[in-house]
Amino acid sequence: MTTLDQSTGKNRYLAAPRRDDFTLDQDWASYSPAEHDRWDRLFARAQTVLQGRACDEFQSALQHLQLSEGGIPDMAKLSARLRPLTGWQVVPVAELVPDEVFFDHLANRRFPAGAFIRPESEMDYLQEPDIFHDVFGHVPLLANPVYADFMEAYGKGGQRAMALGQLKNLARLYWYTIEFGLMKSADGLRIFGAGILSSATESVFALEDPSPNRITFDLERVMRTDYIIDDFQQTYFVIDSFEKLLEDSYRDFGDLYARLAKADDIAADAVITDDHVVSRGSFAYFKAKNSAASH
Ligand code: HBI
Ligand code: FE
C-alpha cells in the first residue's frame, strides 16, 4: 500500500498547489492501482445500467473519446481528443470552484473536472463532484457540437446572471438539464443529465420508477422550479433534442429575468396547469422515505 492509497480516503488534491483559475496538475501518475480499479468498477457498472437508458449521443461520444479504456482518464490526453471535435478541454480542479471562476471556464470551453475519485465508502453516492461524476457524467457530451454550444452559452449566461443577481434561476436550468435532464427518443425516454448518468441507481429511478413527475421542458417553468440536492429528483424535465434546448435557451434572458423576479417559485414536486405532463409521479418512494424517517 503506497502512502497515496492511504490518502485515497480523502481528497488529496485539496492540499495541492493551484493556479489563480483554480486549476491544478492532475499528476496522473499519482493515482494508485486501487483508484484505477475503482474507476473501472464504476465505469463497468454504469455501462451495464446505461444500455438502453443513456441517449445515443452519450454512447457514441464515449466511443469517440475512447473513455472505454481502463483506468482513470488522463485529462490532458482526453482534452487532446476532445479539442478537435468541439474546441472543449477538461481541466483538473480539487473541488467546486467559485461561481465566477466556473462560468469563466465554461464560457471559454474549459470544463473544470474534479481530479479526486470517491472513496470506497461512497461508491453509490457522494455530494461533491469527483472525477467519475465529472469526466464520465459531464465530459462525453461535450463532444456533441450542439450540447457543446449550449454549455458555452450557459457559461456566458452565468456571467450575465451573476451581474444581474439572477443566478438562482439560471442554476435551476443547469440542474434540470445538464445535471438531471431526460430526452425524448424514438424508443422512449433517454438520459442525458450527468447527475443521472454517473449514478447507477438514479439511472433506473429517473427512467422507470413511477414516483417522480416527468414533465416536458419549458425554459421559464424550469427556471422557477426548486430542486433538492441530497436525494433523487422529484421532477425530471424532458427535452425533445439538444437542438431544441439550445434554440429555446438562445435568447436574451433580460425580459425573462424581469418576469421571473415577479413570479413565485414552484415546488420541486408540483405539477402546474400549463405543464405538458409526460408522467405524473406517485411519490411512493418519497412517501416511504418520509414515513420511515418519522418512525
Ligand atoms: N465548480 N468544479 C465545479 N463544478 C461545478 O459543477 C460547479 C462549480 N461551481 C459552481 C457550480 N457548479 C454551480 O453553482 C453553478 O452551476 C451555479
Ligand atoms: Fe455535475
Side-chain angles (χ1 to χ4, degrees):
M1 287 282 274
T2 69
T3 45
L4 287 174
D5 280 349
Q6 279 128 33
S7 74
T8 50
K10 57 186 187 308
N11 176 352
R12 66 174 179 277
Y13 290 95
L14 291 173
R18 62 161 176 80
R19 291 178 274 273
D20 290 351
D21 64 358
F22 282 74
T23 61
L24 40 70
D25 291 334
Q26 185 185 8
D27 187 11
W28 186 81
S30 72
Y31 292 114
S32 68
E35 290 177 308
H36 284 298
D37 175 66
R38 201 167 309 141
W39 168 279
D40 288 346
R41 284 182 284 122
L42 285 163
F43 187 93
R45 185 175 65 172
Q47 268 300 65
T48 305
V49 165
L50 291 173
Q51 293 310 320
R53 293 193 174 99
C55 62
D56 291 344
E57 294 82 349
F58 177 81
Q59 296 290 22
S60 65
L62 278 185
Q63 306 305 327
H64 250 97
L65 295 176
Q66 300 164 44
L67 260 180
S68 51
E69 279 176 20
I72 292 176
D74 177 328
M75 293 188 205
K77 288 183 182 163
L78 184 54
S79 296
R81 292 196 284 270
L82 179 61
R83 207 179 286 110
L85 300 175
T86 57
W88 275 85
Q89 50 188 323
V90 192
V91 291
V93 294
E95 56 178 331
L96 289 179
V97 302
D99 291 340
E100 67 279 1
V101 173
F102 182 62
F103 293 128
D104 181 62
H105 279 304
L106 298 189
N108 291 285
R109 297 208 172 209
R110 294 186 300 265
F111 190 84
F116 74 100
I117 189 161
R118 64 193 69 184
E120 203 62 41
S121 57
E122 293 177 44
M123 279 295 271
D124 293 335
Y125 178 77
L126 79 162
Q127 194 82 26
E128 286 281 292
D130 73 333
I131 193 164
F132 186 75
H133 171 87
D134 279 334
V135 172
F136 180 84
H138 281 286
V139 168
L141 282 172
L142 293 173
N144 174 289
V146 182
Y147 181 95
D149 287 350
F150 179 73
M151 283 295 281
E152 178 188 345
Y154 178 82
K156 289 179 173 156
Q159 292 172 319
R160 186 163 147 65
M162 288 193 74
L164 298 170
Q166 296 276 359
L167 188 50
K168 190 171 149 208
N169 295 122
L170 192 77
R172 290 165 171 171
L173 172 59
Y174 188 89
W175 189 264
Y176 280 118
T177 56
I178 307 295
E179 289 297 358
F180 292 99
L182 301 180
M183 178 194 291
K184 289 190 181 95
S185 88
D187 312 316
L189 298 187
R190 289 293 180 268
I191 301 164
F192 76 90
I196 311 175
L197 291 166
S198 57
S199 163
T201 48
E202 191 151 9
S203 294
V204 177
F205 180 86
L207 282 191
E208 289 145 38
D209 197 291
S211 299
N213 296 321
R214 295 174 185 89
I215 298 172
T216 301
F217 175 86
D218 171 276
L219 182 67
E220 192 158 341
R221 176 12 168 141
V222 163
M223 291 176 81
R224 290 176 55 198
T225 306
D226 268 334
Y227 55 84
I228 46 183
I229 64 165
D230 52 3
D231 201 348
F232 294 154
Q233 295 307 304
Q234 295 178 325
T235 296
Y236 295 96
F237 287 93
V238 185
I239 67 171
D240 293 331
S241 66
F242 292 140
E243 287 74 10
K244 181 85 172 45
L245 174 64
L246 184 65
E247 185 192 318
D248 287 353
S249 310
Y250 220 79
R251 51 179 285 190
D252 174 46
F253 278 23
D255 60 318
L256 178 53
Y257 283 141
R259 272 204 307 284
L260 287 168
K262 292 199 288 292
D264 294 335
D265 285 348
I266 298 170
D269 59 356
V271 174
I272 63 171
T273 344
D274 302 349
D275 282 341
H276 293 274
V277 178
V278 175
S279 65
R280 184 187 286 263
S282 68
F283 286 86
Y285 164 83
F286 302 100
K287 286 174 192 150
K289 274 199 86 162
N290 288 346
S291 62
S294 56
H295 285 113

